[in-house]
Amino acid sequence: MVGSGAGGPRSLPREEFPAFFEALRAEGYSIVGPTVRDGAIVYDRLEGVDDLPIGWTDRQEAGRYRLERRGDRALFGYSVGPFTWKKFLFPARERLFTISRDGPSFSVAPEPTDPTRFALLGMRACELAGLDVTDRVFQGGPVVDPGYSARRSRILRVAVQCGQAGGTCFCVSMGTGPGVRDGADLVLTEILEPGPHRFLFEARTGAGTSVLARLKTAVAPVADERTAGEIVARTASSMGRALETEGVRDLLRETLSHPRWDDVARRCLSCTNCTMVCPTCFCSTQEEVPDLTGATVERWRRWDSCFNLGFTELHGTAVRKSGLSRYRQWLTHKLGTWHDQFGTSGCIGCGRCITWCPVGIDLTAEIAALRVPPVSVTKEAPR
Amino acid sequence: MPAVRRPRLAVWKFASCDGCQLSVLDLEDELLALADRIEIANFREASSAVVDGPYDLSLVEGSVTTAEDAKRIREVRAQSRVLVTIGACATSGGIQALRNFADVEEYRRAVYARPEYIETLATSSGIAEHVPVDLELRGCPISKAQLLEAVSAFLGQRAPNLPNDSVCIECKRRGNVCVVVAHGTPCLGPVTQAGCGAICPAFHRGCYGCFGPQGSPNIPSFLAHARDLGLSAPEIRRVFRTFNANAPAFRVASESAAAEPEAR
């Protein structure tokens, strides 16, 4: 069967999964994917299958995340963790260029781009949707971000369809998952039962086909395709959260004075965690870092957040001084004005902002509350 | 080097442990380049050779705890063009500001064999409560990187880049897993100012708040959150009464917690 990657779905037994790592390496990729570190499943460099979170799952609620043992040896039996693939395309800190004095003039040395080609192993359907969002942000307009674009051109997107939904997941509401539709090079479905532990592989692009061609796969039985569909359907029916998206753009435009904003502002810590864990939040700031001699200066870019007081600082004072104005800015942008700016919602329904908010602020609950018209204090309803 | 006079630097000590001054000496790799650009004119921790003022840049460590120091800081201010405070003591009064919540007379009698030898004020206060301060560097101790940034900005005659964001943003940039959400460990990160590089959470510890309050801390929400994590009112009071007990937002936090009943 070697070399027969193209065509319909293929089947690979779990015991052969190490060969998939070898195939990715043979195609020139460095593999990054899920691994257990510090009590969470994070995305990091992977040496082999043993680095995967074998037999681990995550239990998530608003403001709470815990790793737990599964009763089986699933490789991808979790939902999503605290980190996103964004960090491989839009790093948390990045030197953009270095300027050096050159006699009476100066010279600018652009930062060389890292030639590493990453295989992003274990991308979820919602995360592929997130990649589409950041593509629009960084390279969809007239100005293309060179660093993002260079790194983006070198990745291989290996998606894994979700076998379970997390407690804060709502991809069904956002129309982004759990089944993988577009945007992947390879799509995997992990089948734990019935029968032996195995994987269904589908190549969606030439790059995916090249990897698959290096694997000894078999034509997947029709029953396995059906099982994969059932896995996705089961996940879809067990979403931890739901968000009513109907008319949400208008809702957010029309409720700017709703008392719910005061309520959420009383809880919001302005700590930035929601924006740091969001796969689509893209705000950054730039700073000059000169050396002490004044001979060179480096331009760095680092993640910033609309929750920081300094984010809207103009002429020494912040435009959005209150926590209320900052939370409202974030949510109205994410679910509302993002459409006007990028032609899509900024939310992919992954639930990270809910889980990783220390005080458990849940945007699905906030939207639901904004849908309830405020009770007028001036006129009382007749009894 | 050009014939222009190098700016003169002075480093002053008030009530403190000397740790922040040591951060200056700890700039090992940069110290020679620094000495090329600036004349270290008065730094008794480093050298007994002292050049008289006035000084272009004064770094002030420590808090004001005696009447004598309250007078001395005015003299320091008078001979300093730019005055930068370094560390939690100089910014908010430091650990010694715990006296601000207690009876100093009682401390004096309990601690010293000859209490009559001790002349002290009833409070420990930050430098800005006594004289105008141009810039404050937070932390216990300060961050070397921020110190270098402050001095570099002074030399370059530019605004220093010292964000008043929360520790959380540094924690996430560093790639730490949140100790609160993933482990249930109480952490002052959400209300504390960045600058340390999120050292404690990187070692699976909660933030101790040694950089003081962030730019817009939400103390009431944080107190409710701390109670949800299972901290008792005395425990909450305790976590806010350390390095920056007298910083206004942290003072409000510990006093609010203290006002609550002891048992939940």
Side-chain angles (χ1 to χ4, degrees):
Chain A
M1 286 293 181
V2 179
S4 60
R10 313 287 302 180
S11 183
L12 184 79
R14 160 65 183 88
E15 308 82 70
E16 296 299 321
F17 206 72
F20 181 45
F21 275 69
E22 287 160 29
L24 289 169
R25 285 207 190 87
E27 288 288 305
Y29 295 107
S30 292
I31 304 160
V32 289
T35 192
V36 171
R37 170 166 67 77
D38 300 338
I41 292 167
V42 303
Y43 299 149
D44 214 334
R45 298 258 185 166
L46 302 180
E47 295 303 320
V49 176
D50 289 345
D51 289 340
L52 290 168
I54 301 172
W56 287 101
T57 193
D58 46 22
R59 186 174 292 276
Q60 303 193 35
E61 267 310 317
R64 187 181 163 88
Y65 175 105
R66 290 292 184 277
L67 277 188
E68 287 180 5
R69 277 284 179 199
R70 293 172 59 94
D72 57 30
R73 303 275 294 161
L75 306 188
F76 299 96
Y78 59 89
S79 48
V80 293
F83 299 110
T84 71
W85 305 104
K86 181 173 79 176
K87 66 175 181 171
F88 298 105
L89 299 169
F90 168 45
R93 292 189 78 238
E94 181 185 10
R95 184 167 48 211
L96 300 177
F97 52 80
T98 304
I99 301 177
S100 306
R101 274 190 207 277
D102 192 359
S105 182
F106 62 88
S107 60
V108 181
E111 190 67 12
T113 48
D114 181 352
T116 309
R117 297 167 69 214
F118 284 118
L120 309 185
L121 171 60
M123 294 188 84
R124 303 302 191 171
C126 62
E127 296 175 326
L128 288 164
L131 183 64
D132 176 59
V133 174
T134 53
D135 282 353
R136 289 167 189 243
V137 170
F138 287 103
Q139 53 186 31
V143 179
V144 171
D145 186 89
Y148 179 93
S149 182
R151 288 182 285 263
R152 175 69 178 82
S153 69
R154 285 193 276 272
I155 61 165
L156 184 80
R157 300 152 301 173
V158 184
V160 175
Q161 304 208 90
C162 287
Q164 65 182 64
T168 56
C169 285
F170 57 102
C171 63
V172 168
S173 301
M174 302 315 295
T176 56
V180 173
R181 285 187 290 270
D182 308 315
D185 294 295
L186 274 170
V187 181
L188 279 59
T189 310
E190 181 171 30
I191 301 176
L192 295 159
E193 55 174 8
H197 189 176
R198 62 200 184 277
F199 288 86
L200 195 69
F201 273 72
E202 285 176 77
R204 297 273 181 91
T205 62
T209 304
S210 299
V211 175
L212 197 49
R214 290 179 179 270
L215 285 173
K216 288 178 192 162
T217 56
V219 174
V222 177
D224 275 9
E225 285 187 68
R226 199 167 54 238
T227 302
E230 286 163 5
I231 288 169
V232 169
R234 194 174 62 225
T235 304
S237 67
S238 58
M239 289 282 119
R241 293 284 195 282
L243 188 142
E244 176 54 73
T245 56
E246 183 66 34
V248 73
R249 291 167 71 185
D250 291 337
L251 174 80
L252 287 166
R253 247 197 318 267
E254 290 155 9
T255 53
L256 295 175
S257 303
H258 196 290
R260 184 67 181 192
W261 296 115
D262 293 297
D263 186 273
V264 68
R266 276 195 289 278
R267 287 171 280 136
C268 176
L269 294 168
S270 285
C271 65
T272 76
N273 275 307
C274 51
T275 54
M276 292 295 106
V277 298
C278 179
T280 70
C281 274
F282 59 84
C283 285
S284 65
T285 188
Q286 296 190 9
E287 58 196 27
E288 315 293 345
V289 184
D291 76 346
L292 269 176
T293 66
T296 65
V297 58
E298 298 173 349
R299 166 76 61 87
W300 284 79
R301 173 165 77 178
R302 55 179 168 77
W303 289 352
D304 201 353
S305 169
C306 52
F307 284 90
N308 284 330
L309 198 56
F311 185 75
T312 59
E313 198 167 83
L314 291 170
H315 305 294
T317 189
V319 174
R320 289 192 282 271
K321 286 193 178 65
S322 67
L324 184 156
S325 64
R326 279 174 269 152
Y327 186 85
R328 190 177 56 192
Q329 161 64 25
W330 177 70
L331 193 61
T332 55
H333 187 215
K334 187 67 65 184
L335 291 171
T337 52
W338 205 292
H339 286 278
D340 306 310
Q341 194 177 4
F342 300 112
T344 178
S345 174
C347 178
I348 56 156
C350 70
R352 285 182 175 88
C353 60
I354 306 171
T355 298
W356 297 96
C357 172
V359 295
I361 294 173
D362 176 347
L363 80 171
T364 67
E366 297 312 316
I367 291 294
L370 286 169
R371 288 187 183 280
V372 180
V375 181
S376 170
V377 288
T378 49
K379 43 178 185 184
E380 271 191 56
R383 286 177 184 274
Chain B
M1 284 300 292
V4 293
R5 183 178 75 83
R6 287 173 299 164
R8 277 191 188 146
L9 171 77
V11 183
W12 308 92
K13 174 184 163 61
F14 286 78
S16 59
C17 77
D18 292 32
C20 292
Q21 292 186 67
L22 282 176
S23 300
V24 181
L25 291 175
D26 199 28
L27 291 174
E28 289 166 352
D29 295 339
E30 297 86 4
L31 212 51
L32 285 177
L34 191 68
D36 268 352
R37 299 287 312 278
I38 200 162
E39 180 188 1
I40 301 174
N42 185 350
F43 186 8
R44 287 172 192 273
E45 177 119 350
S47 167
S48 54
V50 170
V51 179
D52 286 342
Y55 306 101
D56 298 288
L57 174 63
S58 276
L59 303 178
V60 179
E61 176 194 83
S63 69
V64 173
T65 57
T66 65
E68 187 192 348
D69 275 356
K71 183 165 165 281
R72 187 163 63 97
I73 188 59
R74 286 188 174 78
E75 292 163 8
V76 168
R77 176 71 262 191
Q79 52 186 323
S80 307
R81 186 158 65 82
V82 171
L83 190 155
V84 176
T85 60
I86 55 171
C89 298
T91 304
S92 70
I95 290 179
Q96 58 273 28
L98 288 174
R99 71 167 68 175
N100 302 10
F101 303 88
D103 178 2
V104 171
E105 263 320 299
E106 194 186 323
Y107 278 11
R108 177 151 53 185
R109 282 196 305 273
V111 173
Y112 297 97
R114 303 292 299 268
E116 64 271 24
Y117 288 173
I118 305 300
E119 270 184 39
T120 186
L121 297 171
T123 60
S124 167
S125 47
I127 300 302
E129 289 190 41
H130 300 268
V131 296
V133 167
D134 298 296
L135 182 70
E136 292 181 332
L137 292 183
R138 303 280 195 86
C140 183
I142 53 169
S143 127
K144 272 168 59 171
Q146 289 205 335
L147 174 64
L148 210 55
E149 169 62 13
V151 175
S152 169
F154 166 79
L155 291 170
Q157 298 179 51
R158 61 178 174 85
N161 190 1
L162 301 165
N164 60 3
D165 309 342
S166 75
V167 168
C168 298
I169 196 166
E170 285 192 319
C171 212
K172 287 291 190 290
R173 282 196 210 112
R174 184 170 176 153
N176 292 341
V177 171
C178 179
V179 300
V180 182
V181 173
H183 312 156
T185 302
C187 175
L188 286 178
V191 291
T192 300
Q193 183 164 305
C196 61
I199 300 167
C200 293
F203 291 91
H204 314 141
R205 304 291 298 264
C207 165
Y208 291 92
C210 77
F211 271 63
Q214 59 128 313
S216 56
N218 186 342
I219 296 298
S221 176
F222 187 84
L223 293 176
H225 157 72
R227 286 190 294 270
D228 286 347
L229 283 177
L231 293 190
S232 66
E235 284 169 330
I236 296 172
R237 193 171 60 220
R238 179 82 182 79
V239 297
F240 279 106
R241 287 196 182 161
T242 58
F243 314 95
N244 291 282
N246 200 46
F250 283 8
R251 186 183 182 104
V252 164
S254 70
E255 286 173 345
S256 309
E260 285 169 21
E262 302 275 308
R264 291 186 74 205

